Amino acid sequence: MRRIVVLGFVSPLHRDRIPVIKGIDKTISNTDELRGLSIGDAFVVALILSGGVSRLVREFAEDYGLRRLLLISHPGLNSLASALMQKPT
């Protein structure tokens, strides 16, 4: 059974405004935080917590060679728009 990794993506502008959400393995707001993630063959869920992270999520998927990535948007901080901006590779 594959492990599931949930990563929260939030813009640096909104990092202090998001509520604490249980179940997130790591919250990412810049490319430096992408380094050294231990994903392996896990199924990755990208929880989009705010707008302004579409490029960051795309870089993450490309850097880790992910062919599948489940995007879920949080109901606030313009996260749906950022999730919809994702283009399949």
Side-chain angles (χ1 to χ4, degrees):
M1 183 175 210
R2 287 174 61 177
R3 150 179 96 100
I4 297 174
V5 174
V6 180
L7 301 173
F9 289 86
V10 62
S11 74
L13 296 173
H14 294 108
R15 187 168 183 109
D16 295 333
R17 294 178 50 194
I18 61 165
V20 174
I21 301 173
K22 293 181 182 179
I24 295 178
D25 294 296
K26 183 168 183 162
T27 302
I28 299 169
S29 61
N30 61 58
T31 54
D32 291 336
E33 295 172 338
L34 292 176
R35 294 186 185 100
L37 291 176
S38 177
I39 294 174
D41 68 342
F43 183 79
V44 180
V45 176
L47 177 58
I48 311 300
L49 297 170
S50 75
V53 297
S54 56
R55 179 180 292 158
L56 182 61
V57 175
R58 188 171 32 256
E59 286 178 23
F60 163 70
E62 290 172 358
D63 289 352
Y64 282 86
L66 299 177
R67 296 186 65 206
R68 293 186 180 125
L69 178 65
L70 177 63
L71 298 174
I72 300 176
S73 66
H74 187 270
L77 299 175
N78 207 26
S79 64
L80 179 58
S82 194
L84 292 174
M85 289 293 297
Q86 300 301 318
K87 295 178 185 175
T89 55

